[in-house]
Amino acid sequence: MLRYLLSAVLSLTLLSDQALAAEKYVVASDCTWPPMELLNDEKQPVGFDIDFIRAVAKAAGFEVDVRNIAWDGIFGGVATGQYDIVASATTITEERKKQFDFSDPYYEVAQAVVLPAGKSISGLQDLKGLKVGGQIGTTGIFVMRKSGVDVDLKEYDDVGLSIQDMMNGRLDAVICDDPVALYYVNKKKDTAGKITIALVTQEKEYYGFTVKKGRKDLVEKLNMGIKKVRASGEEAQLLEKWMGKK
Amino acid sequence: MTQSNLPDDEAEHAIVIDHVWKYFGSLPALQDVCLTIDPGERVVIIGPSGSGKSTLLRSINRLEQIDMGSIWVQGKDIQSNENNINEMRQNLGMVFQQFNLFPHKTVLQNITLAPRHLRKLSREEAETRALALLKKVGISDKANVYPAMLSGGQQQRVAIARALAMQPSIMLFDEPTSALDPEMVGEVLDVMVGLAEEGMTMICVTHEMGFARTVADRLIFMDQGQIVEMGKPETLFTAPRHPRLRQFLNQIL
Amino acid sequence: MEDKKDGSKANIVMVTDGASIPDPREWRLINAWSIALLGAICTLCALCVIWPEPYLRILLYLPDGVLITFKITLMAICCAVPLGLITGLGRISRNRFINLLASTYVEVIRGIPLLVQIFYIYYALSRFVQVSGITSAVVAISFCYGAYMGEVFRAGISAIDKGQTEAARSLGFNRYQTMRLVILPQAMRTILPPVGNECIAMLKDTSLVSIMAVPDIMQRARSFVGTTYLYFETYTMVALLYLIITLLLSKAVSIMESRLNYYDAK
C-alpha cells in the first residue's frame, strides 16, 4: 500500500517537474489595484500588469498562469515558492530588494494624495493630525511614514475600502500610486467626480516583477521580454489601452 | 360571595378549598377537592404516591396553578389579581421534601434573607430572631456554616427555621422527612411536634403514621386526586371505612 | 418550545472554542497549562536573546497593538456580558414577545460569521451612522458574543434546581428578587467558566478587526510584515504573544472559579 502511495507521489512530482520544464510560471497579482490589475465581470484578472506580463512571457518564450492573490501575504507566497512571479504594481524598494529579486523597472509612478472633491493641500505636512488611509504594506504607507508627518495612519487590506471610507467620512485622505488614484478619480463610476488628486509626490517609484531571491534565470527572462515588448511597440499600445492617451 | 374575598363569617377559616380541579396534561391530579381548615388546626394528609396530596398542598400557596375552583387563605382568594400572592405567601411557611436551602448562603443568611428583604428588618434584628429560631430547632452552633456541611436532618431543621422567620400563621409541610435517613427523622418530627404544641396552623403531607396519630387534629386520606376519607386519626387508623384506605394502611403499617 | 424539553440537557453547560479553563483543583506543578505557558515564555525569551534582530525588534513593535487588543476585548466584554445576561433571561422569559425577540436575536447572530458581522456593521451601517473602526469592532463583537453568552446564561440559569425557585417564591420573593438573590448568585458558578471561555475566544477573535484598519496586535504584525517581509518571524511572535495572553487569562478565570466554590462541602 505504502509503495503504491509512494510511487503515486513520485509520479506526481515528476509530472509537475515536467510542467516546469515546459516553462509555465505561476504569476500572482492582487486584483484590487485598478487599472494595473483588477477583476473583470467574469472574475478574471485583467489590467495593465496582466497584459504586460503576458506580452513579456510571449516575447521571452514562456507561459504564465495568472492568479488573484491578496496583497497581504503576496510576498510570503513568492518566498515560499507557491508562485514564481509577482506582477502586481510592485515598487522596487531597497527593503524589498534585500528579500527578493526584481526585474528591470517597467513602469514609473509617484504617490498621490486623494482628497474629497473641493479640498486641497500644498504638501504632505498639511495632512498633520488628519486620518490618512492606504493599503497595508504598500509604498503609499511607507512614504507617509518616512515623511515624518504626524498623521493617524489607517492601513486597509484593500485600497478600495479606504477610498470607500473616505467617501463615508471616516478618513480625511487616501495615499496610493498615481495610476490607481487617477482611475478612482476619473473612471470608476461611483467615485469619479467626488474625489480629487490633491498632490503627487516629486519622488518617482518604479514597478518591477518580483521573484524569489536567487532566481537569476527568471530575472533574465523577464528582462529580455521587457526589452522586446518595448522595442516592438506593444508596450505603447498597452499603455494607451489602460491609461488612455497621455 | 365577592370576587376576591370571602364574607366575614367565612373568613374566619384559615384555608378554604372549594371544588378544586387540577390537571397535568389530561391527567386529573385533583378532582373536585373541598376542604376547610380552621386556625390552629393540625391537618395531616396521607395517601399513596401520586394521590395528589402534594399537589393539593402546593396549590395552597400557588406553587401549582389550579385549573378550576378556588382557594381562599384567611379569606383572600389566592388566584385573584387584587391580592398580592407574594404578600400572601409570606404568611404561608413552606417546608419541602428536598429542604431547598440556598447553598450559597450560610445557615444564618438563609434564615435572615427573607425577613431582611421582605420585612425590611435590620441586620441585627433579623439575626437575633434567626438565632432564637436556630435555638428552637436545636442547631445554634451551626449558624455560620454553609448548608452543604450539615446533615439532612439539620438542613431540614434550618429549612423549618427559615420558613418560621417570616412569622407565618400557617405552615405547609410537604413530606418533610421523606428524604431523610431514618435516624434523622426523629429530630425533625420533634421540631414539628413542638410547633404543633404552640398552636401553629399546620398542614402536613407525610408518611409518618406515628406523627399523624399524635399530632393531627384531623387526618385526611387522599387517593386518585380525591379526598377519600377524613376524620380523627384514631378513627381512621382503627376503623377505616373505605376499602382503599384499608388497603393503604395494610401496606404501610 | 425547545426550552421545556431541555430539562434533561439543563446540566450541561457547553464548552466553547476558547482556551480550556484549567481545573482549579489541579495543583500539580506539571500540567498542560504550565507546560504551555512556560514553553511559550521560554521560546519568546530565547528568540529575543539569541536573535534580537529581528525578534526583539518585532516584540518592541507590537505593544501598542496589545493595548488596542485589550481595549477592544475589555469594552466588548463590558457590553457582551450584560447583553448575554439580558438575552439569557429573555430566552427563559414567559413573556412570549420577549422570549421570541431574544430567541430570534440568538438565531440570527449565530447564523452569521463574526467576520461578516464586523464588515456589515462597519461598512453597511456607515450609510446611516458614522462610527470609528474600534467602536464598530466593539459593537460587532458584543452583538455576536452577546448571543453566544445568552445561551451560556440560559443554560446556567436553567441548570439551577427548580426547588431553589420554589423555596424563594414560597418565602414571598417575587420573580425578580428570586432571580437576583437566589438563582443568579448560584448560576454564576456554572456560568463563569464558559463565560470566561467566551471572553478568551473573544480576545482571539479581535484579531479579525485588523481588516477594518484597527491597529490591534494582528494589524501591527501585518503592517510590520508589509515593510520587512519577515512573515515567519513576525507571526511566530504574534502566536506566542496571543498564547501567553490567553493562558494567563484562562488561569485568572480558573482562580475566580475556585473562589466561587466556597460553599461546597469540603
Side-chain angles (χ1 to χ4, degrees):
Chain A
M1 184 64 210
L2 195 67
R3 194 172 298 170
Y4 285 116
L5 211 65
L6 269 176
S7 61
V9 170
L10 208 67
S11 56
L12 265 178
T13 343
L14 282 175
L15 272 176
S16 59
D17 273 353
Q18 274 170 350
L20 272 184
E23 287 206 317
K24 180 157 187 171
Y25 295 116
V26 179
V27 174
S29 191
D30 172 34
C31 298
T32 60
W33 204 247
M36 306 312 287
E37 43 268 330
L38 61 155
L39 291 181
N40 65 9
D41 292 343
E42 285 88 49
K43 301 189 181 64
Q44 294 307 309
V46 292
F48 175 78
D49 277 341
I50 314 295
D51 283 354
F52 194 66
I53 188 73
R54 286 197 175 121
V56 167
K58 204 172 160 194
F62 60 89
E63 284 177 48
V64 288
D65 172 14
V66 181
R67 293 187 192 158
N68 182 19
I69 306 285
W71 179 255
D72 187 32
I74 203 165
F75 291 103
V78 79
T80 55
Q82 287 170 36
Y83 29 80
D84 307 286
I85 303 164
V86 174
S88 193
T90 315
T91 302
I92 304 165
T93 67
E94 286 309 311
E95 276 279 2
R96 286 173 182 163
K97 267 163 116 179
K98 282 183 204 156
Q99 309 280 342
F100 307 98
D101 280 341
F102 281 91
S103 71
D104 290 338
Y106 65 85
Y107 193 77
E108 182 192 274
V109 291
Q111 290 305 311
V113 176
V114 182
L115 296 180
K119 300 209 171 154
S120 65
I121 52 167
S122 55
L124 286 180
Q125 68 281 353
D126 288 359
L127 294 171
K128 191 170 183 244
L130 298 182
K131 287 188 192 123
V132 180
Q135 181 163 332
I136 193 165
T138 58
T139 39
I141 298 282
F142 306 161
V143 164
M144 208 58 239
R145 277 223 192 95
K146 272 181 198 148
S147 72
V149 179
D150 188 19
V151 297
D152 184 1
L153 198 56
K154 304 269 187 195
E155 300 176 49
Y156 289 79
D157 280 41
D158 170 345
V159 70
L161 296 179
S162 62
I163 297 272
Q164 178 82 41
D165 261 10
M166 187 173 74
M167 307 261 293
N168 284 332
R170 281 206 192 96
L171 286 179
D172 299 304
V174 170
I175 186 161
C176 60
D177 294 355
D178 61 346
V180 178
L182 272 169
Y183 178 83
Y184 278 106
V185 168
N186 294 331
K187 286 201 175 156
K188 194 155 192 303
K189 273 191 197 126
D190 49 343
T191 55
K194 294 177 189 161
I195 54 176
T196 174
I197 295 180
L199 182 80
V200 177
T201 54
Q202 293 298 313
E203 210 169 316
K204 300 297 177 207
E205 299 176 1
Y206 299 93
Y207 290 163
F209 298 121
T210 319
V211 299
K212 191 175 175 176
K213 195 89 185 156
R215 292 292 300 271
K216 291 267 153 36
D217 56 320
L218 198 49
V219 171
E220 272 166 28
K221 276 179 196 156
L222 287 166
N223 289 346
M224 181 178 76
I226 292 172
K227 267 184 205 117
K228 282 189 182 167
V229 170
R230 239 172 227 163
S232 70
E234 202 178 349
E235 184 188 29
Q237 284 170 17
L238 290 178
L239 281 173
E240 198 179 323
K241 175 181 172 190
W242 290 102
M243 308 297 163
K245 281 172 192 157
K246 281 226 167 168
Chain B
M1 212 181 275
T2 61
Q3 291 290 313
S4 56
N5 297 309
L6 285 173
D8 288 348
D9 54 328
E10 295 272 326
E12 287 164 14
H13 299 301
I15 295 167
V16 176
I17 295 168
D18 188 28
H19 298 288
V20 164
W21 291 76
K22 163 80 187 170
Y23 291 89
F24 288 123
S26 59
L27 285 176
L30 296 175
Q31 304 189 53
D32 203 28
V33 174
C34 294
L35 179 65
T36 304
I37 295 165
D38 287 322
E41 204 180 357
R42 272 121 19 210
V43 175
V44 172
I45 306 174
I46 57 170
S49 60
S51 61
K53 49 195 196 309
S54 279
T55 308
L56 180 64
L57 193 78
R58 289 159 56 84
S59 298
I60 294 172
N61 68 353
R62 228 175 84 178
L63 284 184
E64 301 287 354
Q65 286 281 359
I66 55 173
D67 295 313
M68 264 190 285
S70 36
I71 297 177
W72 284 270
V73 174
Q74 295 175 322
K76 288 180 170 175
D77 183 352
I78 61 156
Q79 298 182 89
S80 164
N81 288 331
E82 287 169 38
N83 298 322
N84 182 335
I85 184 66
N86 295 322
E87 277 172 22
M88 294 179 74
R89 279 175 179 155
Q90 293 174 21
N91 206 21
L92 285 161
M94 182 146 192
V95 176
F96 299 86
Q97 183 178 349
Q98 298 296 343
F99 331 133
N100 294 345
L101 290 179
F102 305 137
H104 62 302
K105 302 270 181 199
T106 63
V107 165
L108 198 62
Q109 287 165 342
N110 260 278
I111 301 173
T112 56
L113 189 70
R116 287 189 61 196
H117 282 92
L118 299 172
R119 297 260 194 258
K120 304 289 173 204
L121 291 190
S122 71
R123 189 189 168 122
E124 293 76 39
E125 204 177 346
E127 286 185 354
T128 313
R129 280 202 207 173
L131 288 170
L133 284 168
L134 279 176
K135 201 172 168 196
K136 187 171 171 177
V137 299
I139 32 176
S140 315
D141 53 330
K142 303 284 188 189
N144 291 312
V145 303
Y146 287 95
M149 295 171 196
L150 298 180
S151 72
Q154 289 170 324
Q155 288 195 45
Q156 193 61 299
R157 285 185 280 155
V158 174
I160 295 173
R162 180 176 69 177
L164 289 174
M166 290 300 283
Q167 301 179 312
S169 48
I170 301 166
M171 283 289 285
L172 310 171
F173 293 89
D174 187 5
E175 303 200 30
T177 57
S178 299
L180 295 177
D181 292 335
E183 72 270 19
M184 293 173 185
V185 171
E187 61 193 59
V188 172
L189 289 182
D190 285 349
V191 171
M192 291 168 65
V193 171
L195 267 181
E197 282 165 358
E198 286 171 19
M200 171 69 77
T201 311
M202 288 167 64
I203 307 169
C204 184
V205 171
T206 187
H207 293 293
E208 294 297 326
M209 295 305 148
F211 172 79
R213 202 187 282 264
T214 50
V215 168
D217 294 320
R218 193 159 30 136
L219 189 65
I220 292 172
F221 172 67
M222 283 187 77
D223 192 21
Q224 295 173 358
Q226 291 165 317
I227 294 179
V228 176
E229 204 168 330
M230 173 158 75
K232 291 268 174 210
E234 306 91 86
T235 324
L236 264 70
F237 282 129
T238 51
R241 277 174 293 145
H242 205 283
R244 274 190 283 181
L245 175 56
R246 274 203 291 275
Q247 194 191 356
F248 176 70
L249 290 174
N250 278 336
Q251 282 167 351
I252 207 163
L253 292 175
Chain C
M1 40 184 150
E2 178 185 304
D3 296 20
K4 278 173 195 150
K5 287 186 223 145
D6 247 2
S8 54
K9 288 193 295 180
N11 286 315
I12 305 161
V13 177
M14 70 283 193
V15 179
T16 55
D17 53 349
S20 75
I21 304 292
D23 188 335
R25 283 152 299 208
E26 167 79 70
W27 286 115
R28 275 176 299 168
L29 205 58
I30 296 175
N31 53 33
W33 181 84
S34 62
I35 292 172
L37 183 68
L38 208 69
I41 291 178
C42 289
T43 314
L44 191 82
C45 294
L47 288 175
C48 290
V49 170
I50 302 173
W51 297 286
E53 171 60 40
Y55 287 105
L56 192 61
R57 186 153 64 102
I58 297 167
L59 194 66
L60 295 178
Y61 193 83
L62 297 175
D64 34 353
V66 176
L67 276 184
I68 297 277
T69 295
F70 272 124
K71 190 174 155 193
I72 295 172
T73 311
L74 263 181
M75 290 200 295
I77 288 174
C78 290
C79 302
V81 171
L83 191 63
L85 176 60
I86 293 168
T87 311
L89 291 175
R91 290 269 281 154
I92 53 173
S93 166
R94 290 206 198 157
N95 181 314
R96 267 196 66 84
F97 175 73
I98 294 175
N99 193 310
L100 212 59
L101 191 73
S103 304
T104 312
Y105 160 61
V106 172
E107 285 303 324
V108 169
I109 295 293
R110 287 213 297 190
I112 303 174
L114 178 56
L115 187 60
V116 177
Q117 288 177 44
I118 290 175
F119 259 116
Y120 193 81
I121 287 178
Y122 190 63
Y123 290 109
L125 293 193
S126 67
R127 289 157 181 262
F128 313 107
V129 272
Q130 281 308 314
V131 283
S132 74
I134 289 189
T135 314
S136 57
V138 169
V139 171
I141 293 172
S142 304
F143 262 105
C144 180
Y145 276 88
Y148 291 125
M149 287 192 192
E151 288 305 277
V152 173
F153 275 97
R154 185 184 66 93
I157 290 168
S158 37
I160 301 299
D161 182 45
K162 232 181 110 206
Q164 291 293 310
T165 309
E166 291 188 343
R169 298 305 304 273
S170 76
L171 284 167
F173 288 115
N174 61 30
R175 247 178 243 289
Y176 166 73
Q177 290 165 324
T178 302
M179 194 50 80
R180 183 171 60 93
L181 297 169
V182 177
I183 306 302
L184 281 183
Q186 294 182 57
M188 276 310 145
R189 196 164 64 139
T190 25
I191 287 170
L192 190 79
V195 163
N197 247 327
E198 293 287 347
C199 291
I200 292 165
M202 193 189 260
L203 182 131
K204 293 189 292 176
D205 274 352
T206 56
S207 61
L208 292 176
V209 305
S210 68
I211 55 157
M212 287 185 302
V214 175
D216 73 326
I217 300 180
M218 190 60 189
Q219 164 102 18
R220 291 293 288 169
R222 290 167 59 193
S223 163
F224 189 80
V225 167
T227 30
T228 61
Y229 313 102
L230 299 167
Y231 290 90
F232 172 74
E233 295 84 348
T234 309
Y235 290 123
T236 305
M237 292 309 264
V238 168
L240 286 172
L241 213 54
Y242 271 115
L243 182 61
I244 291 170
I245 293 172
T246 53
L247 285 171
L248 289 177
L249 283 181
S250 63
K251 192 64 181 178
V253 173
S254 143
I255 289 169
M256 270 198 274
E257 190 194 349
S258 64
R259 290 253 170 103
L260 281 179
N261 281 343
Y262 61 89
Y263 54 79
D264 278 346
K266 300 241 158 66

